[in-house]
Amino acid sequence: MGMDTDGQQVAATAGVAGRPILFFPAAVLVGLTLDRVLPLPFPVPGIDLVHRIIGGSLILIGLALFTAGVRRFSSAATPLPTNQPARVLVTTGIYRWTRNPIYLGFFLMYGGIGVATQSSWVLILTLPLVFMVRYGVVAREEAYLERRFGDIYRGYKARVRRWL
């Protein structure tokens, strides 16, 4: 147990449904496996090079968001893993525009992989992945941060959107 800003005890961590950093590669592997076992046509026909350029661009943008989020956590000396308690509320840098740049970056990289590999299954699995991250991770993190940081977090939440 930790203490919130009012001196009340709160759970030490957010108690998320699992490690988000593992959800994305697992979904990619499942999607690519399903492509081999139950192939579906890719919904956007076109030249392979165009898919790779678009997918590669999404991957690079996602990597930039992810990196910016991780760097900000590192400079604030607060742990990144969701199974460790937050030491401070990070609200500067990329966190001025989105409360979840790391997950947003993961989703862009994930979508980029789906487009670059022309994997219908990877793209189809985006929906359950969004559901798992939004409700199994982000909702629990938000509730934890609200208990942990109180009005400071509520004010931040009112100013900055969850995604964009």
Side-chain angles (χ1 to χ4, degrees):
M1 289 285 201
M3 301 295 258
D4 69 8
T5 55
D6 298 324
Q8 302 294 317
Q9 284 192 335
V10 291
T13 65
V16 299
R19 300 285 310 271
I21 197 162
L22 301 177
F23 292 160
F24 291 90
V28 167
L29 289 175
V30 169
L32 294 177
T33 300
L34 285 170
D35 277 333
R36 305 276 290 169
V37 176
L38 298 165
L40 295 173
F42 192 67
V44 183
I47 302 168
D48 287 348
L49 180 61
V50 172
H51 290 119
R52 288 192 178 111
I53 290 170
I54 292 169
S57 298
L58 290 171
I59 291 168
L60 289 175
I61 294 166
L63 187 59
L65 282 169
F66 172 83
T67 302
V70 169
R71 283 188 177 169
R72 194 51 59 177
F73 263 62
S74 179
S75 67
T78 196
L80 183 61
T82 56
N83 60 351
Q84 295 180 25
R87 293 189 187 116
V88 297
L89 181 63
V90 180
T91 62
T92 59
I94 191 69
Y95 289 92
R96 287 179 290 175
W97 295 289
T98 174
R99 295 194 317 257
N100 294 291
I102 294 171
Y103 300 143
L104 186 57
F106 274 142
F107 277 114
L108 288 171
M109 289 186 279
Y110 179 85
I113 291 168
V115 171
T117 62
Q118 297 179 46
S119 171
S120 293
W121 280 110
V122 168
L123 296 179
I124 289 168
L125 290 175
T126 303
L127 186 59
L129 186 59
V130 165
F131 184 81
M132 175 59 96
V133 170
R134 169 61 183 91
Y135 296 101
V137 178
V138 173
R140 293 175 186 200
E141 287 178 346
E142 288 176 344
Y144 164 72
L145 292 172
E146 196 163 319
R147 288 187 309 271
R148 174 85 171 87
F149 297 107
D151 288 339
I152 296 168
Y153 181 71
R154 283 187 282 279
Y156 172 64
K157 202 163 89 166
R159 286 189 320 274
V160 178
R161 292 178 177 224
R162 181 178 289 129
W163 301 110
L164 288 176

